[in-house]
Amino acid sequence: RESLCPGRSVHQQGRSPWLEMAADAREQLCVLLGQLEASGAALSPKTMGLISKELIELGARWPQGGNHDTDIFRRLGRLLPKWTDGQQWDIVAAFAPLREDIRARMVTSAAALSQWLSEAPDPEKASPQRLAEHFQSIDQMPQVLCYRQCGDLDIRARFLVSVASAIRAAQEPLQAYVATHPPALELAQRLSKSFFAMPDQGCILEPWLDARLERYNDTWRLVAERAVERCRDDLQR
């Protein structure tokens, strides 16, 4: 692969204008991420604020379209907890590839949890260890806490319902089964706090999930009633 050479313009290296912009932006983002990853301990709030502004400005110049390096946005996603909630929101909003990474992870996680729920308590297909792996993969993806940045409401709902359903299943009625692998219950509790704990209300997982499932039931009931009404004559023949 051709590398950037200091002192030579991109055009001198035979790159297109789009690649010039992309290479420059990617190089700057890599430098910022490298500094953050090497810092180890938390930097001062002032320094983190300055870096967040640099990232937001870089996001405004990030080339639209084309192929993006998914690894670099995975790295950025893992570093998000270094900033305040507001700064995280602004950083995610600045980079479309980061929002796409979050969306893809939500889809994958929702599918994995839904499959586990459909197969549990089969110790081979849906073991407590496998549930812990699914929970851990979400716990290690701090970027998905910015799920509201995903513009697809259906994907957001499916993700949250699958997470809430798996947590509730792990705590009840499958608690005895899941408890054979304690890390699964510990991770369930951690995700419950991460996604469903409200400052003034505590954990709202149970009422939120009940309300969501009731809404789904009402929707399906309405669809079924309309289908029966449309096909009434055929059904009575």
Side-chain angles (χ1 to χ4, degrees):
R1 294 176 58 185
E2 185 180 13
S3 61
L4 287 174
C5 301
R8 294 181 62 192
S9 72
V10 176
H11 288 299
Q12 287 175 323
Q13 296 182 53
R15 295 180 184 269
S16 69
W18 188 91
L19 285 176
E20 174 182 0
M21 188 183 302
D24 179 63
R26 186 186 185 284
E27 184 178 32
Q28 291 181 52
L29 182 53
C30 282
V31 169
L32 286 173
L33 296 183
Q35 291 173 345
L36 287 168
E37 291 166 341
S39 66
L43 299 173
S44 69
K46 181 179 180 180
T47 300
M48 294 306 298
L50 291 174
I51 295 176
S52 71
K53 289 181 180 179
E54 289 186 63
L55 285 170
I56 292 167
E57 292 174 359
L58 182 57
R61 295 187 287 108
W62 197 265
Q64 300 298 314
N67 295 321
H68 297 285
D69 187 338
T70 56
D71 180 65
I72 198 171
F73 288 102
R74 291 194 187 100
R75 291 170 60 195
L76 177 56
R78 289 194 294 266
L79 291 168
L80 284 175
K82 288 179 173 286
W83 287 281
T84 65
D85 290 346
Q87 289 169 337
Q88 291 180 40
W89 181 270
D90 291 339
I91 291 169
V92 174
F95 290 97
L98 181 54
R99 296 195 299 277
E100 174 56 27
D101 178 69
I102 292 171
R103 187 201 69 79
R105 289 172 181 275
M106 290 166 61
V107 170
T108 300
S109 296
L113 290 174
S114 295
Q115 182 174 354
W116 188 92
L117 287 167
S118 69
E119 297 173 339
D122 186 320
E124 293 187 2
K125 294 182 179 180
S127 66
Q129 291 84 351
R130 183 164 296 180
L131 178 61
E133 291 172 3
H134 295 328
F135 281 161
Q136 188 169 36
S137 70
I138 297 173
D139 188 53
Q140 293 177 343
M141 299 186 299
Q143 60 266 51
V144 296
L145 289 173
C146 296
Y147 61 86
R148 292 184 181 86
Q149 291 274 15
C150 175
D152 191 317
L153 297 180
D154 182 62
I155 289 177
R156 281 165 47 179
R158 287 175 182 271
F159 171 73
L160 291 173
V161 167
S162 65
V163 172
S165 298
I167 291 173
R168 182 153 74 177
Q171 296 174 338
E172 181 186 359
L174 298 177
Q175 184 176 17
Y177 173 66
V178 175
T180 59
H181 187 63
L185 289 178
E186 295 170 6
L187 286 162
Q189 185 65 25
R190 190 181 307 168
L191 292 181
S192 179
K193 292 179 180 178
S194 296
F195 287 95
F196 302 101
M198 297 291 104
D200 300 327
Q201 304 175 54
C203 183
I204 62 166
L205 186 151
E206 292 286 344
W208 180 88
L209 182 58
D210 288 340
R212 176 63 63 171
L213 294 178
E214 183 177 353
R215 185 184 306 176
Y216 285 164
N217 289 337
D218 289 342
T219 300
W220 283 112
R221 188 180 303 113
L222 181 60
V223 170
E225 290 174 353
R226 288 177 176 174
V228 170
E229 186 65 29
R230 287 196 299 269
C231 302
R232 185 181 300 278
D233 293 340
D234 292 336
L235 291 171
Q236 291 177 346
R237 289 176 184 174

